[in-house]
Amino acid sequence: MQRNITRNLLASLIASLVIPLGAQAADADLLKKIEAMAKEIEALRAQVQANQEANKQAIADVREVKEKVQKNEDRSLDKWLTVGGDYQFRVDSLAGETKTFTDVNATFANAQNQLQAAFFANPSPANAAALSGLMGFAQGMAGVQTYSQAQTFLGANAAMLGAIGGYAVTVPAYKPKNETLYSNRFGLDLNMKAAQDVSVTARLLMYKTFGASDDGALTNSGSAPFFADRVGVFDGTVGHIPSSSFLNVDRVYATWSNIAEQDIWFSVGRRPSTNGAPNHLRANTARPGTGGTPALLVDYAFDGMTVGWAPDIDALPGAYGKICYGRGYESGFSKALTNSLEDTDMLGISVVPIDTDPLRVWLQWNRGMSIFDAPKMANTYFGTTMPKTNLGDIDWYGAGALGTIKNVGPGNLNWFADAGMSVTHPNDNVSAQFGFQGLMTGAFFNPEAPSSKTGSAIYLGLRYDLPSKTKLGLEYNHGSKNWITFAPAAGDSWTSKVGTRGNVYEVYAIQELDAKPISSFMAKSFFRLGFQYYDFQYTGSNNWVGAPVKISDVNGQMMTTTPLSKAYNAYATFEVKF
């Protein structure tokens, strides 16, 4: 029994010694596991931080890529450049009826040719004196500047005037005709956004007749022209009258808009001063915006500038006003002469109190200052012409409206009405190159004391648009005896119809092709057929040099242009807008 007790005590002692050693081993293993877990947690924390840094870099990289993409998009052509344009094929069939007149240019040429021939055939003192007398007369005539000087010159040369009458070339009445006049016109439109609120707009234009690279088809080449605005092509009409295959700069101007965060703009360059309202109806183009001028008063390619403002007035939706300035002729350096030639400038104020789809109303005032007697033109019937004197100033006043009445029967009715008045302010100058005629005064070799002349005009029209894309138009305009406009760039073949002293009737039909636009939503193609009838009541349509003569009174008088009593033009076009 004692042996058992001893054995139990010994086992208990050994157990007491062994158990602490096991516990100590378990604690050591636990510490190792905790240390391993801490290392794993630190590694995970480092991995998370690394991932966060990588994400930040990735986000920065994405942002950088987006910025580069945005910059590339901002610089891409479609963001800053818009390209458009048009092509027109046109055929005109022209006919007219003239009145008997004495051709001034042909008369002087005949006198010179006959006197030279006589002198070369027999160089006698009499023939030499006659030839030198004519040359002296021409030189003296070129030196005349004023109305009083013209009277003195004519009085001193009465004998020579009588002698020149013996060489008169009288042109009997005839019926000019051109059955088929074909022409091509191409225009290229560019709009460039240079910076925020700053843009540049340009239009390049080519216009030529089939089989010719000059303006002879419309200027009555080789004979006296019919109208002053169709004597030749010059700076104010280039690209608008068929002349050559050159692609000329018709318009180019820079515009700064949103000035002072207001709807104020400033624009400078070669102005959009041609094809103004309401010509867009007949041309089948969009209604003009704040650019341009009423076609009844101005259709002339000016270089100049504009300042405009469009106030936000609830009672006057779309209202705006602008002040326009243009230079029609640059005279160069001034000359130390009594009658130094001055620049020809135009100043205008336009007020549009309402401009909406149903109704647009406009008021216009223009003043032409130091009006020249002839523009600079080359190779005309009169040779190379250029301004020789300033004849005075002209004021123009205009008021008009246009609009659309929807759902008139199956279609929409477009209408317009425009009225204009011209008031001349002549100075004492006369044009020596045109026989001492002044600003709307006098006749060839029959000067008239300067006096103000007032003229008036009206311009009315309708266009009915059908769902079939057929558009039917009717227009009428009338100009009084002393009416004068500034519209030589109008696209009418005979002469600018809005400058007619008499009546013009026109009908036309437009048929658009039912084709899906591709180049832009404005793209379209169409045919246009039309007919114009001119009923001239006075001479000198579109000419401010010389006084008008009633057509029924024309019978052999000395004139520089061929007087027409009636004119007809049947035309057709195929046009593509892109």
Side-chain angles (χ1 to χ4, degrees):
M1 183 176 178
Q2 185 179 359
R3 185 179 293 174
N4 291 336
I5 295 170
T6 303
R7 191 179 296 163
N8 292 336
L9 289 172
L10 182 60
S12 298
L13 177 64
I14 293 172
S16 65
L17 292 173
V18 172
I19 290 173
L21 292 175
Q24 291 177 1
D27 290 342
D29 291 340
L30 180 61
L31 288 174
K32 288 180 181 179
K33 291 180 179 181
I34 291 173
E35 289 176 357
M37 290 178 63
K39 289 180 180 180
E40 290 180 359
I41 291 172
E42 187 65 27
L44 288 173
R45 184 181 299 162
Q47 183 64 37
V48 169
Q49 185 175 357
N51 290 340
Q52 288 177 344
E53 294 296 330
N55 289 338
K56 289 181 180 179
Q57 184 62 42
I59 292 172
D61 291 343
V62 171
R63 185 182 297 113
E64 183 180 359
V65 170
K66 286 183 176 179
E67 290 176 354
K68 289 181 179 180
V69 171
Q70 185 63 44
K71 288 181 180 179
N72 289 334
E73 287 181 352
D74 291 341
R75 293 174 181 173
S76 65
L77 287 178
D78 60 347
K79 280 286 186 178
W80 64 271
L81 175 64
T82 303
V83 180
D86 57 89
Y87 168 78
Q88 173 189 276
F89 163 73
R90 177 169 176 142
V91 55
D92 292 90
S93 183
L94 304 163
E97 301 175 23
T98 74
K99 301 284 287 188
T100 300
F101 76 108
T102 297
D103 186 335
V104 168
N105 197 60
T107 295
F108 273 88
N110 184 45
Q112 181 178 349
N113 291 337
Q114 289 203 36
L115 291 176
Q116 284 180 341
F119 174 76
F120 290 137
N122 180 17
S124 65
N127 288 338
L131 183 59
S132 62
L134 179 64
M135 294 174 62
F137 179 86
Q139 292 175 354
M141 180 179 173
V144 172
Q145 298 175 347
T146 65
Y147 166 69
S148 58
Q149 290 175 359
Q151 286 187 309
T152 302
F153 176 84
L154 292 172
N157 290 275
M160 178 58 72
L161 289 172
I164 291 175
Y167 300 97
V169 176
T170 300
V171 180
Y174 68 102
K175 295 182 178 181
K177 180 183 294 186
N178 188 339
E179 294 182 348
T180 53
L181 172 62
Y182 300 114
S183 62
N184 279 320
R185 191 191 69 196
F186 171 71
L188 184 64
D189 299 325
L190 305 171
N191 183 265
M192 295 142 281
K193 297 178 181 178
Q196 184 176 355
D197 299 327
V198 178
S199 65
V200 175
T201 301
R203 176 169 170 79
L204 310 179
L205 198 57
M206 180 279 291
Y207 199 4
K208 72 178 295 291
T209 55
F210 280 30
S213 289
D214 56 34
D215 54 17
L218 293 181
T219 61
N220 202 22
S221 181
S223 301
F226 298 107
F227 299 98
D229 63 340
R230 297 296 182 265
V231 171
V233 173
F234 58 97
D235 183 64
T237 64
V238 64
H240 294 272
I241 307 302
S243 57
S244 77
S245 58
F246 294 157
L247 194 62
N248 296 287
V249 178
D250 176 41
R251 301 174 182 176
V252 59
Y253 54 92
T255 302
W256 174 28
S257 57
N258 197 33
I259 300 175
E261 297 185 354
Q262 299 292 320
D263 202 350
I264 300 172
W265 67 91
F266 168 73
S267 184
V268 62
R270 191 155 176 84
R271 308 302 304 148
S273 51
T274 56
N275 303 317
N279 276 356
H280 66 286
L281 291 174
R282 183 166 48 125
N284 198 29
T285 56
R287 181 188 293 190
T290 57
T293 56
L296 182 60
L297 301 186
V298 174
D299 203 328
Y300 190 105
F302 271 108
D303 302 291
M305 59 195 72
T306 293
V307 175
W309 177 45
D312 187 7
I313 303 174
D314 292 339
L316 300 174
Y320 67 89
K322 58 183 179 177
I323 300 175
C324 306
Y325 163 80
R327 173 147 294 175
Y329 174 70
E330 167 58 49
S331 62
F333 293 108
S334 61
K335 305 175 181 62
L337 299 172
T338 303
N339 192 36
S340 178
L341 196 64
E342 299 179 356
D343 300 330
T344 297
D345 293 329
M346 176 82 80
L347 181 66
I349 297 177
S350 177
V351 176
V352 178
I354 183 171
D355 189 2
T356 63
D357 288 339
L359 179 64
R360 183 187 194 206
V361 178
W362 62 86
L363 304 171
Q364 185 80 25
W365 168 78
N366 298 328
R367 165 161 279 210
M369 297 169 282
S370 301
I371 300 294
F372 50 71
D373 58 343
K376 185 179 291 187
M377 297 178 287
N379 303 318
T380 76
Y381 180 64
F382 309 106
T384 297
T385 68
M386 62 183 62
K388 297 292 182 65
T389 188
N390 302 112
L391 298 176
D393 303 335
I394 304 177
D395 280 318
W396 286 277
Y397 305 89
L402 63 83
T404 302
I405 305 174
K406 294 185 177 181
N407 301 320
V408 179
N412 299 329
L413 181 65
N414 302 278
W415 62 270
F416 70 84
D418 201 0
M421 181 173 69
S422 60
V423 182
T424 64
H425 307 285
N427 55 30
D428 197 44
N429 294 340
V430 294
S431 175
Q433 62 182 328
F434 293 115
F436 312 138
Q437 299 177 89
L439 184 62
M440 298 285 292
T441 60
F444 204 93
F445 285 159
N446 187 16
E448 176 188 344
S451 61
S452 177
K453 303 294 177 67
T454 299
S456 60
I458 59 170
Y459 187 18
L460 309 172
L462 299 170
R463 194 188 75 185
Y464 189 56
D465 299 351
L466 292 165
S468 60
K469 295 187 176 182
T470 302
K471 303 176 181 181
L472 306 175
L474 172 66
E475 295 186 0
Y476 167 77
N477 64 276
H478 170 80
S480 69
K481 172 183 177 180
N482 292 311
W483 166 246
I484 182 63
T485 185
F486 214 75
D492 308 302
S493 295
W494 270 115
T495 185
S496 173
K497 73 174 189 175
V498 296
T500 298
R501 291 169 184 157
N503 305 295
V504 181
Y505 307 86
E506 180 170 5
V507 294
Y508 63 88
I510 297 170
Q511 180 59 61
E512 294 187 8
L513 302 184
D514 189 15
K516 181 181 178 180
I518 295 177
S519 60
S520 73
F521 72 95
M522 296 289 290
K524 57 185 174 183
S525 306
F526 59 90
F527 291 91
R528 178 159 55 105
L529 302 175
F531 181 78
Q532 293 177 321
Y533 167 55
Y534 292 77
D535 176 23
F536 298 101
Q537 297 179 346
Y538 293 89
T539 63
S541 294
N542 291 297
N543 188 6
W544 53 75
V545 179
V549 178
K550 195 171 184 178
I551 288 294
S552 58
D553 294 336
V554 176
N555 187 21
Q557 295 99 317
M558 294 187 73
M559 294 184 174
T560 55
T561 57
T562 303
L564 274 175
S565 60
K566 299 182 186 303
Y568 315 89
N569 182 18
Y571 64 87
T573 70
F574 174 58
E575 304 184 46
V576 180
K577 312 288 185 182
F578 59 89

